[in-house]
Amino acid sequence: MAQKVDTTFVANGNPFVKYKYLGDPAALVDGGTVYIYAGHDQCPDRENRYVLNEWCILKTQDMKTFSELSYKLRAVDFPWASGQAWASQVIKRGEKYFWYVTAEHKTIHGKAIGVAVADRPEGPFVPVEKPLVTNDMTTKWTRISWDDIDPTAFVDEDGQAYLIWGNTQIYMAKLADNMTELASEVMPISIEGIHQPSLVAEGKDFYTEAPWIHKRKGLYYLSFSVGFPEKTAYAVAKNINGPWEYKGIVNEIAGNCNTNHHSIFEFGGKWYFLYHNGAINTAGSSFRRSLCLEELRYDRKGNIEKIQMTTEGIWGKSKKK
Ligand code: FUB
């Protein structure tokens, strides 16, 4: 049965969700519908910190009329989590939908990555009892407590699924066939041309967070946030195990928000770049974020053309066809 709809609206420019603050959008295209899963920024007035307790689901069939579902997944729905609904992504495998999420672990210090499973993209999602990744699994590479965040998942054409994530360091692991456990060691991904945060003073790009994996015409694209405030950059590889070739910046600093978490998807013959900024109104900020959409284009060689952030978004009359 379809989930109840809370709100329906017609998008008319960026940010396109104007009635609430949402960040970290992740798109899933399924059966002629685009689903957007996003964290709900709920920072109290006069405070400036991440306050996200739940994730929301929006859907559209024409990229114009969007509906937000009443159903929410909460960080505390995961038995292992104490809260903090950070970035997430839903993917489909077979007849099931898997929502990979970041939240704070109750007993193992730091962020962790877990998954919830559903029969439908609208939910309800049932959280799996144990997380897939906890902070103690990655301390040999990164000693911070927030490196195990921002999962992106992917099922390759040969049926092998992967989980990629990380702040400061990008990690990858194979997923088991059940999609709820890892099936390999954690493997750090290195990208030639991406520098360590300590080199920021020299103006070099350094990996921050928010990886997103997709494949087009046999080429793997790994996009992610670099620097702080963040830009979005990407690398490509012919094999998911690398080597990764750094291709540079896709999207510039938003200016009104430190982060610009994004996702990339194809729908109706076009590619889209979905991201957040802090431009919703005078109160928008790094902790009160809002969703934006632009078209994404590849050149003839398969390079991603730089995104131009606009207020008209994908809905403006002057957009190239
Ligand atoms: O929303 C909390 C964190 O901010 C996310 O996990 C990061 O990607 C950044 O957008």
Side-chain angles (χ1 to χ4, degrees):
M1 212 178 70
Q3 294 283 356
K4 224 175 116 230
V5 165
D6 246 4
T7 312
T8 294
F9 62 95
V10 176
N12 64 357
N14 283 327
F16 66 94
V17 182
K18 301 194 197 297
Y19 56 90
K20 71 198 293 183
Y21 299 116
L22 295 173
D24 303 327
L28 169 75
V29 178
D30 187 54
T33 300
V34 179
Y35 296 91
I36 297 173
Y37 303 84
H40 185 189
D41 271 332
Q42 297 165 292
C43 184
D45 288 349
R46 289 181 292 280
E47 292 187 25
N48 280 308
R49 60 193 175 95
Y50 289 122
V51 180
L52 299 103
N53 301 313
E54 62 186 16
W55 297 273
C56 305
I57 307 175
L58 292 96
K59 64 176 183 177
T60 180
Q61 293 184 324
D62 60 6
M63 301 299 280
K64 291 183 187 127
T65 302
F66 290 77
S67 298
E68 183 183 342
L69 307 181
S70 314
Y71 172 76
K72 315 290 170 209
L73 181 64
R74 299 173 309 159
V76 294
D77 291 339
F78 290 82
W80 53 266
S82 59
Q84 302 197 26
W86 282 26
S88 72
Q89 184 186 357
V90 175
I91 68 163
K92 182 181 187 185
R93 180 168 199 175
E95 295 307 307
K96 297 275 185 199
Y97 297 82
F98 298 89
W99 196 339
Y100 295 92
V101 305
T102 312
E104 189 71 18
H105 199 282
K106 269 180 188 163
T107 54
I108 302 172
H109 178 61
K111 292 282 182 298
I113 293 172
V115 64
V117 187
D119 293 328
R120 298 169 37 83
E122 302 192 355
F125 283 82
V126 179
V128 171
E129 203 181 327
K130 289 186 181 158
L132 292 94
V133 182
T134 49
N135 186 48
D136 53 350
M137 291 163 62
T138 55
T139 43
K140 76 172 165 189
W141 295 287
T142 314
R143 299 200 64 81
I144 58 174
S145 62
W146 61 94
D147 58 317
D148 297 297
I149 66 170
D150 295 1
T152 179
F154 169 72
V155 186
D156 211 343
E157 282 149 84
D158 63 2
Q160 179 61 57
Y162 297 88
L163 187 71
I164 294 175
W165 72 97
N167 176 299
T168 306
Q169 172 65 54
I170 314 180
Y171 303 109
M172 179 171 87
K174 288 183 180 173
L175 283 163
D177 287 347
N178 64 13
M179 301 294 276
T180 62
E181 293 165 312
L182 299 189
S184 77
E185 296 290 302
V186 175
M187 302 170 272
I189 293 181
S190 61
I191 299 172
E192 190 74 29
I194 284 288
H195 299 262
Q196 292 304 307
S198 55
L199 291 179
V200 65
E202 294 174 27
K204 306 284 189 194
D205 296 335
F206 65 93
Y207 172 78
T208 306
E209 60 185 1
W212 181 267
I213 180 92
H214 75 280
K215 194 176 182 182
R216 177 182 177 268
K217 296 189 176 174
L219 197 60
Y220 298 88
Y221 289 76
L222 184 60
S223 42
F224 42 82
S225 298
V226 293
F228 204 77
E230 296 174 349
K231 303 174 188 181
T232 306
Y234 79 108
V236 295
K238 293 188 180 124
N239 187 308
I240 193 145
N241 296 307
W244 291 95
E245 182 193 351
Y246 185 51
K247 301 292 278 185
I249 303 300
V250 177
N251 196 26
E252 289 291 346
I253 293 172
N256 44 31
C257 179
N258 283 332
T259 60
N260 64 3
H261 197 111
H262 76 290
S263 72
I264 292 172
F265 64 98
E266 186 182 21
F267 179 67
K270 289 182 177 177
W271 285 84
Y272 293 93
F273 186 82
L274 170 67
Y275 67 103
H276 70 225
N277 66 16
I280 198 167
N281 53 36
T282 50
S285 70
S286 296
F287 307 103
R288 296 171 183 84
R289 300 167 293 182
S290 7
L291 305 190
C292 301
L293 260 167
E294 298 290 353
E295 261 185 68
L296 178 142
R297 293 188 174 82
Y298 300 87
D299 70 15
R300 289 203 178 140
K301 292 180 176 162
N303 299 313
I304 298 179
E305 292 180 4
K306 218 164 170 180
I307 298 291
Q308 196 186 342
M309 291 178 277
T310 63
T311 49
E312 63 183 12
I314 61 170
W315 304 278
K317 287 200 181 74
S318 63
K319 287 286 164 194
K320 277 195 271 173
K321 293 282 176 273

